[in-house]
Amino acid sequence: MFADRAKIFIKSGKGGDGHVSFRRELYVPAGGPDGGNGGNGGNIIFEIDDGLNTLTDFRHVRKYIAKDGEQGGKKRCSGASADDLIIKVPEGTVIKEFESGKVIADMSGDNRREIILQGGRGGLGNMNYATSTMQAPKYAQPGQPGQELWVQLELKVIADVGLVGFPNVGKSTLLSRVSNARPKVANYHFTTLNPHLGVVDLDGGGFVMADIPGLIEGASQGVGLGFDFLRHIERTKVLVHVVDAASTEGRDPVEDIKAINAELENYNPQLLERPQIIAANKIDSIYQAEGEENPIERLKKIFEPEGIPVYPISGVTGQGIKELLYAVHGKLQTVDQAPVIFEKEFDTAALRNMESLPYTVERTEDNIFVVEGPRIEKMLGYTNLESEKGFVFFQNFLKENGILEELEKAGIGEGDTVRMYGLEFDYYK
């Protein structure tokens, strides 16, 4: 089954802890510190694989966790850094932060490989902390934690031209006639379920055309597979409305175009700013009764004043297709040739920036001051409070982040108790 969306959990590796040890050699009665550094945790990297064209694999594996770095060792031996975890995706995959929907990366164009989550840095061993006044440090730095995130993967096909229209209007037939694409062509009233890409070769240059699965009214509200289908239109530069000009199934081509443009506007108003062309299909089946208005002339009268040209074609006989293709090629020359790339909106590096994380200071009825929040939890996660250096870091953290000032505003006094995630301290200024 074609899959163009998946939700997965990713987590980079934790850095290895630094080691505490001292030289123990013959004739060296007071050997100095020789604890090695920890290795870095593995990164989470996304990479384009040209052999993939769906996100089906992510239906079976939903968690991707990189390995942790090794701890440091004795004799200044550093722990090994973990291998990066590389996740292969098809070109056109957009990676979004799941909760906010903000774009982390667009794996398209020149962006073929990107580090999404950095592994935690390895901690320094005690050999790094020896000074003239502290020649035998008994502490080392713990490794930084890895980063973790739920992300949404969305595959948006990369094509210059998108064929849009209701089911069974002849989009697949048109694409199979003008390109190397071979979609299944039949009288399917539901719709084609997955987009097909085809390369159109012309004397003046070629372009990529996509048969966007048939839309239905309500698609922009997610009715049916609406969101899945509309997603693929976002990268296209020119939209070609394919309509059944002969109304072989009783559909009104004018109302079809208006309905689809309404769905496009509801989903993303910018889509209506792109050039549009109408391919009035099935002219070989038009039977005009005496006194009735010609359906092609009706389409031209309504839409050409709006700047949307109408080209009568027959996907079966090939009539008018050459003129349509050269008109599409001409439209493409009037738009920006750069590929449509979605800009980064969410920087995962901010996950390491604790200053952006919140915290709260509250005073309980029994006069205990409770400090908690993601910023505090993250700091405590990689701070060794049992070591001298770790406790100094902890005190500086409270001061530099304004936490001591907040405690004083809350009315804390000498000897009062501060509680942080199960840890309790007495406050002294």
Side-chain angles (χ1 to χ4, degrees), residues 350-357 375 378-379 382 397 401:
L351 295 174
R352 291 202 181 280
N353 184 6
M354 288 192 295
E355 293 179 359
S356 65
L357 299 176
R375 192 186 310 188
K378 194 175 183 70
M379 179 273 298
Y382 69 82
F397 175 87
N401 283 266

Side-chain angles (χ1 to χ4, degrees), residues 270-318:
Q270 293 182 345
L271 293 176
L272 291 187
E273 298 174 6
R274 298 178 189 177
Q276 296 188 10
I277 291 177
I278 295 172
N281 195 22
K282 303 187 181 182
I283 59 173
D284 56 293
S285 300
I286 292 178
Y287 297 99
Q288 184 179 350
E290 186 176 349
E292 285 187 353
E293 184 178 16
N294 183 285
I296 303 300
E297 294 304 317
R298 177 171 173 248
L299 285 166
K300 288 184 175 182
K301 183 171 65 176
I302 294 173
F303 293 104
E304 289 194 340
E306 299 179 12
I308 306 176
V310 177
Y311 287 85
I313 67 166
S314 170
V316 175
T317 68

Side-chain angles (χ1 to χ4, degrees), residues 354 357-364 368-380 394 397-398 401 403-404 406-407 417-423 425:
M354 288 192 295
L357 299 176
Y359 69 90
T360 59
V361 176
E362 295 182 355
R363 185 176 187 172
T364 66
I368 293 178
F369 294 79
V370 179
V371 183
E372 59 185 10
R375 192 186 310 188
I376 309 302
E377 189 175 18
K378 194 175 183 70
M379 179 273 298
L380 292 174
F394 170 71
F397 175 87
L398 297 181
N401 283 266
I403 297 171
L404 293 181
E406 291 294 326
L407 285 167
T417 300
V418 179
R419 180 181 297 157
M420 298 182 184
Y421 291 98
L423 300 173
F425 311 91

Side-chain angles (χ1 to χ4, degrees), residues 16 62 83 180 198 203 219 246 250 269 302 318 320:
R62 294 186 179 271
D83 292 334
N180 57 355
D203 294 338
I302 294 173

Side-chain angles (χ1 to χ4, degrees), residues 19-23 32-36 73-76 126-127 137:
H19 190 69
V20 176
S21 61
F22 299 89
R23 292 173 60 191
D34 69 351
K74 300 178 180 179
K75 299 182 179 179
R76 297 178 173 262
N126 70 332
M127 66 179 182

